Amino acid sequence: MTSAREQYGKTVAYEAAVSTDGLPEWLTPVSRAAATIEPHQLSRFLPPDSGGRQSAVLVLFGHGDRGPELLLMERAGTLRSHAGQPSFPGGALDPEDGDPEGEGPVRAALREAWEETGLDPSGVQVFGVLPRLYIPVSGFVVTPVLGWWRVPSPVGPVDEAETARVFTVPVADLTDPAHRVTARHPSGHVGPAFLVEDALVWGFTAGVIDRILHYAGWELPWDRAKQVPLDRRA
């Protein structure tokens, strides 16, 4: 039987291409922002000059019953780190993904999305790559890869020991001020968060979403004083 990785390897070279051709008009603001945004505009946590584990996430936009939406997954509650936390599909680069300075992050984002959610990469058009960011608590250097879900495919948890669920969130809910809060960690760190789909989206994922909404011009005024405390284990 052919393994998932072997099947993926047959199409990865094609899927690693980055193109803005044929994007829906509503994605134009995101594409334009991605082409000009600087690292410090996305986060104050930037990669060190050396070290860190290279990784990538897939920020996948689709069009659902309620208009534009984002694909997210929720990590299993039994995991040692970030248990139960919503996130983008993604993970560390493997040697077969290629050069971290080249197409490696795009290939890794698509591969990880397939391995975690069952997403068919052939239906994804990668239209942008954001600057590398850093997650100090884990030491990951993360490249957000922007994709348009041109041909939707069925998705769901591939390994329930790692992924509790896979779901989409309408962009309209993410921009709705009623769903926006500030998350406060016991360490004192505060950051943007979203109360959507029976989940609290916070941390790195929420930070990237927050900046995309802002620089795409989609952000609406919201109450930053409205706070949600995080558990110390978060």
Side-chain angles (χ1 to χ4, degrees):
M1 180 178 293
T2 304
S3 70
R5 284 177 176 249
E6 289 172 339
Q7 292 175 2
Y8 183 86
K10 293 179 181 179
T11 60
V12 70
Y14 171 78
E15 294 296 346
V18 178
S19 172
T20 59
D21 293 344
L23 287 181
E25 186 175 351
W26 59 266
L27 265 178
T28 299
V30 180
S31 176
R32 287 176 178 169
T36 59
I37 200 164
E38 298 291 334
H40 68 272
Q41 294 176 300
L42 286 172
S43 174
R44 64 187 178 91
F45 297 114
L46 302 181
D49 293 335
S50 62
R53 189 175 183 187
Q54 296 294 329
S55 63
V57 295
L58 181 63
V59 184
L60 184 61
F61 290 89
H63 197 280
D65 295 337
R66 295 182 54 206
E69 59 188 16
L70 269 178
L71 179 70
L72 296 177
M73 52 179 275
E74 186 175 303
R75 293 169 58 84
T78 55
L79 294 176
R80 285 188 175 183
S81 62
H82 307 295
Q85 185 174 344
S87 66
F88 300 119
L93 269 67
D94 283 350
E96 59 265 35
D97 294 323
D99 186 2
E101 301 293 333
E103 296 179 339
V106 172
R107 295 185 180 191
L110 292 169
R111 173 183 55 75
E112 286 282 346
W114 190 37
E115 292 178 359
E116 292 176 329
T117 74
L119 171 78
D120 182 355
S122 68
V124 175
Q125 177 182 341
V126 174
F127 67 90
V129 179
L130 297 182
R132 290 187 180 95
L133 304 176
Y134 188 57
I135 303 179
V137 68
S138 62
F140 278 98
V141 176
V142 187
T143 301
V145 174
L146 304 178
W148 157 235
W149 208 353
R150 183 169 38 83
V151 182
S153 56
V155 290
V158 173
D159 184 351
E160 294 184 354
E162 295 186 359
T163 305
R165 63 171 173 148
V166 178
F167 60 101
T168 57
V169 180
V171 171
D173 286 349
L174 294 167
T175 59
D176 186 343
H179 295 161
R180 303 215 55 181
V181 295
T182 297
R184 175 176 288 276
H185 194 274
S187 66
H189 175 73
V190 296
F194 302 83
L195 290 165
V196 290
E197 301 296 325
D198 298 321
L200 174 64
V201 183
W202 63 281
F204 176 85
T205 303
V208 172
I209 294 173
D210 171 78
R211 293 297 80 195
I212 289 175
L213 297 182
H214 176 77
Y215 287 107
W218 294 347
E219 183 180 32
L220 299 174
W222 58 283
D223 184 5
R224 298 173 187 270
K226 183 181 177 182
Q227 293 194 356
V228 172
L230 295 172
D231 188 281
R232 182 168 295 276
R233 294 169 297 177

